[in-house]
Amino acid sequence: MLIEFNEKKEDLNKILAKGTVLIDFWAPWCTPCLMMKPIIEAMAKKPAYKDITFIKINVDENRKTAEKFGIMSIPAFFIFKNGEKKGSFIGTMSEEEISEKLR
Amino acid sequence: MIYDLIIIGAGPAGMTAALFAARYKMNFIVLSKNNGGYMATADSIENYPGFERISGAELAEKMANQIKKLKVEIKNEIVREIVKKDDIFEVHANKIYHAKFVIIASGTERQKLGLENEDKFIGKGVSYCATCDAPFFKNKTVCVIGGSNSAVMSALLLEKYAKKIYLIYRGSELRADPIRVHELKKNKRIVIILNSDIKNIKGKEKVEEIILKNGKKIKTDGIFVEIGSIPDVILTQSLKKEGVKTDDKGYIFVDETKETNVKGLFAAGDCTVKQLRQIITACADGAIAAANVYQNLKTHIRIKSK
């Protein structure tokens, strides 16, 4: 499942509370973020990741959330399991590498 | 299935090789971990003929669109190993691909400072991509480390956001093009510190201060590392096993046809030993490599070893 997050409408904590979640902080002016876009979107459609929630957060449109996470570099990824932060990483990565981190 | 050619990398060298290979009607694929390579992260390119000023992302997209129209297949896969068996190359990515010829155009990866606590501060002030991260440093103080075109371009880009920028370079003179250095020196908010290098990063959660080798301390919110690049480390190790000649940093030696010392294995662009690493020279390398692969295919010159 892929969610385009909007901080004005949604409560992030609620989404994070259940199951495995991968957050992708991005911006349209960040080329490495755009390189990651098709990879994340393709992953979200694959049956192998059907239990994982993918959340894309545009830092321009969700400034408060980006600030809360202390974002200073993008693309930035965070992995949450049942509300608990399990890891984070920065920069471009292949599907294989992301998949390993999700395990 | 045995391809005529596998191109590794989709930066300017790989995409130009693909453009030529497609026009030669070769049976080939491109394997790349991204589209556009290092070029795509450049904020502005002003030395590629035909474009007075274009962003790296835009130029990368134009190149990609041009080859996509020729139905070139680009697979998002990381190549970890190349093995030559009975005149055929095995290219190990998500699966093993086979080809008569290979062009390595895998470019380079950003070099880190090599400081003990550098990794701890990645994403917490340490950045390797000014075009990605500059907007996070609005009204802040930042340091750019390096003296190349990339370093100067980063400093000029950061100037649009940060209140103060230090450009710190270990050499006595900046290596960037004089036209860019001139622009840099005109700017009063950019302080150039030469003959100096970073020794340590200090900070609790985020970067707060850097210490230079001469002991000088600078309070800063960000460190933009622009000290150059090195070839893909994993691929370099595999090439060494195959007996491919590289220099001590892993840059691949090629002849004037862009062939390595291993027959049938070509290399083009930033990953090769060369004098000038620019988009235009990468494109030229890619074209030469593809043209020579085509010649070899056509005349069936297949000598087992040089």
Side-chain angles (χ1 to χ4, degrees):
Chain A
M1 184 173 46
L2 185 73
I3 299 172
E4 298 264 1
F5 182 71
N6 179 340
E7 66 185 13
K8 288 183 193 89
K9 288 182 189 159
E10 286 147 312
D11 179 358
L12 187 60
N13 288 332
K14 241 185 201 169
I15 305 171
L16 295 180
K18 257 172 86 182
T20 304
V21 182
L22 179 85
I23 311 180
D24 168 13
F25 283 98
W26 71 287
W29 34 261
C30 153
T31 337
C33 300
L34 300 182
M35 286 176 183
M36 292 307 294
K37 193 175 177 236
I39 297 173
I40 298 294
E41 285 174 356
M43 282 179 84
K45 281 184 194 152
K46 283 190 183 172
Y49 309 110
K50 68 172 171 20
D51 296 332
I52 294 164
T53 308
F54 295 83
I55 311 179
K56 290 173 62 72
I57 303 183
N58 180 327
V59 296
D60 278 344
E61 290 162 8
N62 299 282
R63 287 182 190 211
K64 276 185 194 152
T65 310
E67 221 164 85
K68 204 179 122 200
F69 277 77
I71 302 296
M72 294 170 96
S73 280
I74 48 170
F77 299 88
F78 290 81
I79 294 168
F80 279 81
K81 281 190 180 160
N82 298 323
E84 218 177 297
K85 188 183 148 188
K86 291 289 178 190
S88 64
F89 48 98
I90 281 162
T92 56
M93 234 166 252
S94 70
E95 177 185 332
E96 211 182 323
E97 288 167 303
I98 300 168
S99 163
E100 232 159 69
K101 288 182 188 290
L102 283 168
R103 241 172 249 156
Chain B
M1 152 112 121
I2 298 170
Y3 291 102
D4 290 337
L5 168 68
I6 290 174
I7 297 167
I8 302 167
M15 285 202 277
T16 310
L19 173 65
F20 277 66
R23 295 175 64 86
Y24 293 133
K25 294 225 167 267
M26 285 187 216
N27 174 24
F28 75 102
I29 50 167
V30 181
L31 300 174
S32 181
K33 59 179 158 190
N34 59 45
N35 276 344
Y38 186 37
M39 164 175 68
T41 66
D43 176 47
S44 141
I45 292 158
E46 290 158 34
N47 59 3
Y48 189 78
F51 298 93
E52 266 175 49
R53 184 190 165 97
I54 187 166
S55 77
E58 218 182 320
L59 187 55
E61 204 186 337
K62 280 182 186 292
M63 288 186 188
N65 286 343
Q66 192 175 3
I67 58 171
K68 274 177 196 159
K69 277 188 188 147
L70 297 168
K71 306 222 169 4
V72 171
E73 193 182 353
I74 303 176
K75 288 175 185 283
N76 174 235
E77 293 185 27
I78 295 175
V79 174
R80 295 198 167 78
E81 207 173 356
I82 302 169
V83 184
K84 191 178 184 184
K85 274 186 194 160
D86 304 326
D87 274 7
I88 297 294
F89 291 96
E90 278 184 357
V91 178
H92 296 239
N94 286 5
K95 60 176 204 172
I96 299 173
Y97 298 94
H98 298 88
K100 293 175 197 161
F101 294 90
V102 172
I103 298 175
I104 305 166
S106 51
T108 53
E109 291 172 348
R110 300 299 293 277
Q111 201 157 5
K112 290 184 176 181
L113 291 166
L115 298 177
E116 201 189 331
N117 53 4
E118 182 175 357
D119 284 352
K120 182 187 137 189
F121 289 113
I122 292 176
K124 298 185 172 97
V126 170
S127 170
Y128 305 89
C129 179
T131 51
C132 309
D133 302 336
F136 296 111
F137 292 84
K138 214 170 175 184
N139 298 321
K140 302 223 163 142
T141 301
V142 295
C143 293
V144 178
I145 316 293
S148 65
N149 273 330
S150 300
V152 171
M153 289 301 281
S154 294
L156 290 169
L157 173 68
L158 280 158
E159 194 270 336
K160 293 180 197 162
Y161 302 94
K163 67 170 184 228
K164 185 152 197 179
I165 302 102
Y166 292 93
L167 181 71
I168 299 160
Y169 182 47
R170 62 182 177 179
S172 58
E173 203 181 324
L174 295 174
R175 287 193 295 126
D177 295 343
I179 189 167
R180 285 179 173 156
V181 175
H182 180 73
E183 199 183 334
L184 187 82
K185 284 181 175 166
K186 275 197 312 197
N187 196 301
K188 292 206 169 65
R189 283 194 293 134
I190 303 176
V191 179
I192 304 168
I193 303 175
L194 296 171
N195 300 308
S196 210
D197 207 353
I198 182 169
K199 188 181 144 197
N200 212 342
I201 307 168
K202 288 268 154 84
K204 277 187 201 127
E205 286 292 311
K206 297 180 199 168
V207 170
E208 288 168 22
E209 186 179 66
I210 62 165
I211 300 165
L212 300 180
K213 281 191 175 147
N214 62 13
K216 194 178 171 203
K217 292 175 180 176
I218 299 172
K219 291 251 180 267
T220 187
D221 301 294
I223 303 166
F224 285 80
V225 182
E226 292 286 356
I227 56 167
S229 314
I230 48 164
D232 184 324
V233 179
I234 295 165
L235 200 55
T236 301
Q237 282 169 353
S238 152
L239 294 176
K240 280 186 180 157
K241 266 200 280 177
E242 282 299 297
V244 178
K245 281 187 188 146
T246 68
D247 71 4
D248 51 2
K249 280 185 169 173
Y251 289 105
I252 306 162
F253 283 107
V254 287
D255 64 16
E256 62 184 8
T257 69
K258 306 300 165 197
E259 193 167 21
T260 68
N261 61 307
V262 173
K263 186 75 193 156
L265 183 64
F266 290 71
D270 281 3
C271 65
T272 64
V273 174
K274 63 192 295 193
Q275 193 200 2
L276 182 66
R277 289 193 178 83
Q278 289 289 322
I279 296 166
I280 185 145
T281 61
C283 291
D285 286 358
I288 295 166
N292 282 287
V293 167
Y294 180 60
Q295 282 303 323
N296 279 299
L297 263 175
K298 225 170 51 169
T299 50
H300 297 289
I301 302 171
R302 306 299 305 277
I303 306 160
K304 281 197 174 169
S305 59
K306 262 189 173 176

